[in-house]
Amino acid sequence: MRPSFRLDASPGVGVGALVGGLLTASLMALWYLAFQLAMLPFVPFDLFDRMARLLPGDVVAFGVESMVSVIRALALGETSGTAKAGEQLMALGGCLAAGIVLGAAFFALWRARAPRSPERVGAVLGAGLGLLALAAGRGVSQELAASPLVGAAWVLGSLAAWGALAGWAFRRLAQPAAQGAEVAEAGTEAADLVRLDRRRFLIRFGGASAVVVVGGAVLGAQIKRRRELDMTAALSGAEPWSAANPLPNAGDAVMPAPGTRAELTPVGQHYRIDINTRPVVVDPNTWRLKIGGLVDRPLELTLDELRTRYEPQHHFVTLECISNPVAGDLIGTTRWTGANLGTVLADAGLQPSATHLKVTAADGFYEYVPLADVLDDKRMMLAYAWDGLPLASGHGFPLRIYWPDHFGMKQPKWITSIEAVPAWEQGYWVARGWDKEARMLATSVIDTVGVDMMIIEADQATRVPLGGIAFAGARGISKVEVRIDDGAWQSAELRRPLSDTSWVLWRYDWPFAAGKHTFTVRCLEGDGTPQIAAEAPPRPSGATGLHAKGTMM
Ligand SMILES: Nc1nc2c(c(=O)[nH]1)N[C@H]1C(S)=C(S)[C@@H](COP(=O)(O)O)O[C@H]1N2
Ligand SMILES: [Mo]
């Protein structure tokens, strides 16, 4: 095919990279706007989420651990929220980088091949990328509010337009307007004109991109803000349970040392860990819990049916992520409400050959739960409320499972189906190298050494209150001990816990002694088993080691 412009005038790969970058930034802004407007797929996050599922467990664990270490080392704030922001930045940066590389590659291709219509070739290649993006987004994409067809058309069309625009820019740069390509060979002055024309074009191109990027981002953010305000307004009538009710241990004589964390974690401050760059959005109108497999009567339950057919049960639960470092913030306590899992299963009629439940979630996450535990432990529930309010989308709306004594990785959020199966298999994180059992480990933490907060004068001695938490899953805490420097272990006072599966607040009034000190804490489980003092990293079975805090006084 004869090129319609001169090869030696063709723009280079550097210009291609620039054009690719500008177009990609614009496209991401439009994707963002469309996501906020109509829940159309946001391709950068979909690609990132797919990658997180495909990469080997070691690589993902290394990435997560590095991120948690950096966040803690630089004190960047609350771990899980910062980590999510980090993931989102990586997704956006990766997408932009891909756009730059693709722009360069397209220009290199067109320089070598010089098609008659780079626009058409670009559109076809872009649509090809769209197909890849769609394939990658399957099962992780959040296009739940829009019809899948509309979502697919949007991804294909927008990427085809991306390619066509890259092609158009290539032609426009290869074939400068006005004086045209002929002058390009006619001496320096003319070549200068070409260069000038190119520069003008690129400046206008960059300007237009900047307008699209800023416009898309600002509009998208405004829509998001308005929606959040609407949501707050809709919820404003609904108070959390804790706003109107005292905690069951309110009268306990042991008061937390000032500076100890809240005994009940405000839901908005509860850590959030999952395999998604943004909370999964489930449409409650179409959502059903499907119960099938080895049962006599497969069930499909709506959220209302789960709420009304079964007597709600409540339990104060401390949830912890297996990735939580010693004294980390990936742990929280709230009041869970749900339907008893055993009762719901009885309605479906379990067959004798069933030994496990495969619990699957809307994001493709899944876990296997032994039926023996379900039938034994009446606390197991299908939870739909935290602190009296429907689960937040980040915490699993509409439904999540509660399985006492097990780390969060065993407890799917956004549940869509429960299947009774005849054998155990590896769940999502087990298949990626984490502990098979993932039993919560005993841990104790010093939250506060209340030096400047409160000094108790009693028996002529000055006492400084120390306090924090101790937790051992569903196994309870029988003792917490504190050591000052290399001294003897001293018993702390224990506040009555909120439940048999919540953390315990402890307090120790330290007889003040001036100087620099190191405080260490340890606990014993309900049956006297000591907390593991040897240090181990979170992977693969959860962190162990004693928490120590140094202070200068
Ligand atoms: N569907 C789904 N459920 C999930 C996860 C997930 O990635 N997807 N992550 C699990 C992990 S690792 C933890 S620690 C808990 C965290 O629950 P939270 O975010 O409500 O604190 O959710 C669990 N349930
Ligand atoms: Mo986790």
Side-chain angles (χ1 to χ4, degrees):
M1 201 173 273
R2 270 186 54 81
S4 53
F5 39 80
R6 297 187 52 83
L7 276 182
D8 54 0
S10 297
V13 292
V15 180
L18 178 64
V19 168
L22 290 170
L23 280 174
T24 305
S26 309
L27 183 56
M28 290 198 300
L30 292 177
W31 278 337
Y32 175 67
L33 180 60
F35 173 61
Q36 295 301 349
L37 259 178
M39 288 301 286
L40 288 164
F42 188 67
V43 176
F45 289 177
D46 291 347
L47 293 179
F48 189 87
D49 288 349
R50 168 61 61 202
M51 221 172 58
R53 285 157 177 71
L54 288 180
L55 285 174
D58 288 330
V59 178
V60 175
F62 176 77
V64 170
E65 267 161 39
S66 319
M67 194 144 62
V68 171
S69 314
V70 170
I71 292 167
R72 279 165 63 90
L74 302 180
L76 291 178
E78 183 265 319
T79 312
S80 59
T82 314
K84 285 288 170 221
E87 286 170 20
Q88 294 185 341
L89 270 179
M90 279 193 271
L92 296 177
C95 188
L96 187 63
I100 290 171
V101 169
L102 283 168
F106 279 23
F107 272 44
L109 179 82
W110 289 325
R111 268 168 78 90
R113 282 278 159 87
R116 183 165 299 257
S117 167
E119 291 89 342
R120 197 174 315 144
V121 177
V124 171
L125 289 173
L129 290 172
L131 284 177
L132 288 178
L134 282 177
R138 265 177 61 91
V140 296
S141 180
Q142 301 275 303
E143 49 187 274
L144 291 141
S147 97
L149 227 75
V150 176
W154 168 239
V155 172
L156 278 183
S158 60
L159 275 163
W162 181 96
L165 280 169
W168 170 74
F170 180 83
R171 172 203 289 287
R172 181 60 187 71
L173 288 162
Q175 207 177 35
Q179 295 87 343
E182 306 92 62
V183 296
E185 56 193 323
T188 26
E189 214 179 304
D192 279 347
L193 277 177
V194 171
R195 226 169 286 136
L196 195 68
D197 180 75
R198 270 192 187 170
R199 190 169 311 151
R200 274 205 202 108
F201 174 77
L202 284 175
I203 288 173
R204 264 179 289 149
F205 197 79
S209 304
V211 169
V212 174
V213 169
V214 172
V218 167
L219 255 173
Q222 253 167 16
I223 294 168
K224 179 172 182 236
R225 221 176 71 88
R226 177 129 42 88
R227 206 191 26 241
E228 283 168 357
L229 286 177
D230 287 351
M231 222 139 73
T232 324
L235 279 177
S236 66
E239 290 254 291
W241 172 88
S242 59
N245 296 277
L247 294 176
N249 60 356
D252 198 84
V254 180
M255 292 304 287
T260 306
R261 75 190 67 191
E263 192 158 26
L264 194 78
T265 313
V267 170
Q269 285 167 32
H270 196 286
Y271 83 91
R272 180 194 146 213
I273 291 286
D274 50 64
I275 56 175
N276 313 290
T277 38
R278 59 220 188 278
V280 173
V281 180
V282 172
D283 180 353
N285 299 313
T286 55
W287 179 88
R288 297 284 182 280
L289 173 67
K290 295 187 188 63
I291 301 180
L294 301 170
V295 295
D296 295 331
R297 298 169 293 276
L299 296 177
E300 282 207 11
L301 297 167
T302 64
L303 184 54
D304 263 345
E305 285 169 334
L306 278 163
R307 274 197 292 235
T308 54
R309 265 199 214 167
Y310 304 92
E311 182 65 29
Q313 67 182 53
H314 314 283
H315 208 75
F316 289 93
V317 170
T318 295
L319 184 69
E320 183 180 16
C321 180
I322 196 166
S323 292
N324 197 28
V326 171
D329 60 7
L330 302 179
I331 185 168
T333 300
T334 190
R335 182 176 181 264
W336 295 44
T337 300
N340 182 267
L341 180 54
T343 313
V344 175
L345 288 174
D347 280 356
L350 285 168
Q351 294 176 1
S353 52
T355 62
H356 289 77
L357 299 176
K358 182 184 185 186
V359 182
T360 307
D363 58 349
F365 188 86
Y366 57 96
E367 188 49 76
Y368 287 80
V369 178
L371 272 173
D373 281 20
V374 178
L375 304 176
D376 266 17
D377 192 335
K378 298 291 169 232
R379 295 169 299 198
M380 288 194 77
M381 63 169 121
L382 296 169
Y384 44 74
W386 269 17
D387 196 11
L389 293 177
L391 291 172
S393 67
H395 292 297
F397 177 86
L399 198 68
R400 67 185 299 165
I401 194 171
Y402 174 47
W403 182 9
D405 218 33
H406 292 80
F407 280 119
M409 64 171 258
K410 290 277 166 185
Q411 320 208 25
K413 311 189 266 192
W414 307 295
I415 297 178
T416 51
S417 78
I418 295 178
E419 195 189 345
V421 293
W424 178 82
E425 279 179 57
Q426 299 187 334
Y428 185 92
W429 282 121
V430 177
R432 286 161 178 79
W434 291 84
D435 196 274
K436 259 176 19 189
E437 301 276 338
R439 274 194 165 239
M440 284 169 160
L441 296 162
T443 188
S444 53
V445 181
I446 303 172
D447 282 347
T448 176
V449 178
V451 224
D452 39 34
M453 300 200 197
M454 187 196 260
I455 290 182
I456 301 170
E457 304 267 4
D459 306 334
Q460 262 76 60
T462 302
R463 286 178 171 262
V464 169
L466 272 62
I469 55 145
F471 178 57
R475 306 185 300 280
I477 295 291
S478 56
K479 195 172 195 131
V480 172
E481 294 177 313
V482 178
R483 184 178 63 187
I484 291 91
D485 305 318
D486 295 324
W489 288 99
Q490 311 281 337
S491 280
E493 293 176 280
L494 301 185
R495 183 172 166 80
R496 184 158 62 84
L498 295 172
S499 82
D500 53 358
T501 65
S502 78
W503 56 31
V504 174
L505 266 49
W506 60 264
R507 158 184 196 132
Y508 175 68
D509 292 330
W510 168 54
F512 175 79
K516 194 172 178 235
H517 297 290
T518 303
F519 305 89
T520 312
V521 64
R522 71 177 184 188
C523 66
L524 302 183
E525 299 188 5
D527 67 357
T529 309
Q531 166 183 359
I532 300 170
E535 281 182 27
R539 187 168 165 89
S541 304
T544 56
L546 301 187
H547 184 220
K549 222 178 169 115
T551 318
M552 252 291 250
M553 273 169 263

